[in-house]
Amino acid sequence: MAKVISEDIGEYYHHYPRVATIVTAQAKGRQNAMAVAWHTSISFAPPLYGIAVSPKRFTYQLIVDSKEFGVNFLPFEQAELVASVGGSSGGEIDKFRQFDITQNKPVKTAVPILKDAYAAYECRLIDDRGYGDHRLLVGEIVAAHSLEEAFTPEGILDLAKVSPILYLGGERYVTASRETIKYLDRKVYGKD
Ligand SMILES: Cc1cc2nc3c(=O)[nH]c(=O)nc-3n(C[C@H](O)[C@H](O)[C@H](O)COP(=O)(O)O)c2cc1C
């Protein structure tokens, strides 16, 4: 099969799927939620997390104003909520009311934590830098919420209990199943 090589990159999705998250923020009495697929861990010590957010998003201004954001990881049953908050603007509607989103209390910040999340990070903004048409917002994780039964004793997501939301790009979502797990010990495989 022939490989296609392109130098006109445009919008690129070759590296998908990616875990879809819901980023939350609040400021000046307004709270909001948006879908974010561009996110990454950056450091263990201190625990840093990065999200790439367009400055056009209503959420961006709330994060700049409050210097805080939340990253919420939801089960596949909640994929519709990702599409809902990713397809609407907080400048026009109150997404928490419109989509009937229930919350848990944050502990270190004032960011909304979604009750249905199997994990969530409360982050304090430490850097906001522009790269092309997005801003890379880096936050220190000051509290991590997690559903105890969703994780194995080693802290790995238990796919028997929770199916994550993987975003394929466009309007397509998929999940990961336990049957496809491969255990590959790096100490064994790293040997020549
Ligand atoms: C699955 C999915 C992933 C998305 N990922 C991002 C992202 O990583 N960064 C971003 O700026 N926008 C992303 N978006 C777009 C925003 O979620 C969307 O523009 C949203 O309406 C912004 O809401 P707000 O204006 O209320 O902040 C994504 C949308 C979807 C559906």
Side-chain angles (χ1 to χ4, degrees):
M1 277 203 277
K3 281 193 180 160
V4 178
I5 299 171
S6 175
E7 291 182 19
D8 178 15
I9 310 301
E11 292 192 0
Y12 54 99
Y13 300 100
H14 307 82
H15 57 291
Y16 282 45
R18 299 189 53 79
V19 170
T21 69
I22 294 184
V23 164
T24 47
Q26 66 74 43
K28 298 175 184 153
R30 271 305 317 267
Q31 54 181 18
N32 195 43
M34 69 176 277
V36 164
W38 295 1
H39 57 96
T40 182
S41 41
I42 293 173
S43 161
F44 281 136
L48 303 179
Y49 210 80
I51 57 173
V53 173
S54 162
K56 292 183 193 154
R57 315 296 184 224
F58 185 74
T59 310
Y60 174 70
Q61 204 49 54
L62 296 184
I63 296 173
V64 168
D65 289 347
S66 62
K67 305 263 183 295
E68 295 175 345
F69 62 88
V71 188
N72 297 265
F73 300 86
L74 290 130
F76 194 57
E77 294 74 30
Q78 299 283 323
E80 286 82 359
L81 185 62
V82 171
S84 301
V85 300
S88 54
S89 178
E92 285 152 25
I93 57 164
D94 176 348
K95 298 190 202 181
F96 280 83
R97 186 178 295 190
Q98 180 99 4
F99 304 123
D100 216 5
I101 304 174
T102 42
Q103 304 178 36
N104 281 338
K105 276 207 160 47
V107 294
K108 284 289 185 73
T109 65
V111 298
I113 296 299
L114 305 198
K115 185 161 181 271
D116 290 333
Y118 61 82
Y121 298 142
E122 291 180 43
C123 299
R124 273 202 196 113
L125 187 70
I126 62 158
D127 197 28
D128 171 3
R129 219 169 273 253
Y131 291 98
D133 52 16
H134 278 58
R135 311 277 310 173
L136 179 61
L137 306 178
V138 178
E140 175 164 1
I141 303 172
V142 289
H145 302 235
S146 63
L147 193 63
E148 200 178 3
E149 59 265 33
F151 291 87
T152 66
E154 304 92 64
I156 290 172
L157 189 65
D158 185 347
L159 293 181
K161 309 274 172 52
V162 174
S163 304
I165 306 176
L166 305 181
Y167 175 52
L168 268 181
E171 313 305 328
R172 295 184 202 285
Y173 300 81
V174 69
T175 192
S177 73
R178 199 177 167 219
E179 293 70 47
T180 60
I181 294 177
K182 267 189 185 177
Y183 182 84
L184 305 171
D185 189 336
R186 69 185 78 179
K187 285 197 215 77
V188 174
Y189 283 84
K191 286 206 174 104
D192 52 357

